[in-house]
Amino acid sequence: MAESALFITLAASIAVGLTFLFGNPKIDPLWIFLPIVLLLIPGFYAAVISGPFVPSARKRTQAMLKLADIKPEDTAYDLGFGDGRLIFAAAKNAKRAIGYELSIPLYLFGLLRKLVSRSKVSIRYGNIWKQDYRDADVVFCYLLPKAMVRFYKDVWPTLKPGTRVISNAFTIHEIKPIETDDKVYLYRR
Ligand SMILES: C[S@@+](CC[C@H](N)C(=O)[O-])C[C@H]1O[C@@H](n2cnc3c(N)ncnc32)[C@H](O)[C@@H]1O
């Protein structure tokens, strides 16, 4: 569903861009803004419902990876991969590392990064709230407090026992972390 929306948005943006560049010269230059706005809308939506793009700081990224203690047989997810710094690093140790992102520019950046780095990471376009995490051993979150409430209500019950959830900056209010490093919190399902 989200992937169809991505391709329709991309196709519409390219079509409007090409029409402007090579088509009818009488087209109002304002039309150039339409594809840009179209491309940015999902990212704004994601920022409002669960969290804007703020990459985890280097120190926090290290703390998250340390608390995750990823094993070679693990499957790791990043809920909103941003610029990919966390999930690309996780992919070096995990069997499978999967990142979801709703922002189109960030998703395209992730694809490009995968191409250049030849990482085995799986970059997926989609809404984090519509995915299945039942096979997760590790789940990374850096989301707004209201999204952590939703995470505990909707995602946490679906995780298998033993899954490690690592949250940057924001806690899951309902449960106690089993370990904390700076403002990074580790929970075990
Ligand atoms: C605070 S950033 C964290 C990025 C990365 N995980 C990190 O730690 O560096 C949150 C990211 O989640 C993405 N995001 C927010 N809501 C989302 C949703 N519903 N579906 C997919 N991605 C989402 C945002 O676009 C943003 O890139």
Side-chain angles (χ1 to χ4, degrees):
M1 173 66 189
E3 272 167 4
S4 315
L6 168 72
F7 288 119
I8 291 167
T9 309
L10 276 177
S13 304
I14 291 166
V16 173
L18 288 178
T19 308
F20 174 75
L21 284 176
F22 304 112
N24 185 348
K26 286 181 194 152
I27 283 179
D28 191 323
L30 276 178
W31 278 94
I32 199 71
F33 290 109
L34 187 64
I36 296 172
V37 170
L38 281 175
L39 290 173
L40 295 180
I41 284 174
F44 281 121
Y45 173 72
V48 172
I49 61 164
S50 341
F53 170 51
V54 180
S56 291
R58 184 186 291 264
K59 221 175 127 214
R60 294 276 181 91
T61 304
Q62 292 312 319
M64 290 174 91
L65 291 166
K66 191 171 148 239
L67 289 183
D69 188 23
I70 296 172
K71 312 273 191 315
E73 65 275 15
D74 282 346
T75 295
Y77 287 90
D78 190 2
L79 276 55
F81 64 75
D83 65 5
R85 60 183 62 190
L86 194 55
I87 199 64
F88 277 75
K92 289 181 184 154
N93 298 327
K95 182 176 172 200
R96 293 170 68 228
I98 300 139
Y100 286 103
E101 183 53 62
L102 204 55
S103 156
I104 296 174
L106 289 173
Y107 168 70
L108 296 176
F109 178 75
L111 282 184
L112 190 68
R113 187 168 180 173
K114 177 178 161 68
L115 203 74
V116 172
S117 67
R118 298 181 173 198
S119 165
K120 65 172 188 282
V121 71
S122 177
I123 291 303
R124 297 185 185 167
Y125 187 76
N127 188 336
I128 55 172
W129 304 118
K130 304 257 167 75
Q131 313 305 328
D132 184 348
Y133 304 106
R134 280 175 300 180
D135 63 346
D137 300 290
V138 172
V139 176
F140 292 111
C141 306
Y142 183 14
L143 301 167
L144 291 172
K146 66 176 178 181
M148 294 312 291
V149 172
R150 186 171 179 182
F151 176 86
Y152 184 68
K153 191 171 140 278
D154 295 344
V155 180
W156 180 265
T158 70
L159 301 175
K160 67 184 180 198
T163 304
R164 282 103 72 201
V165 173
I166 299 94
S167 176
N168 184 3
F170 302 110
T171 56
I172 302 175
H173 272 300
E174 291 80 355
I175 43 175
K176 267 189 180 299
I178 58 168
E179 219 179 314
T180 303
D181 182 347
D182 192 5
K183 285 198 167 174
V184 174
Y185 307 93
L186 169 67
Y187 300 88
R188 193 178 287 273
R189 171 80 171 96

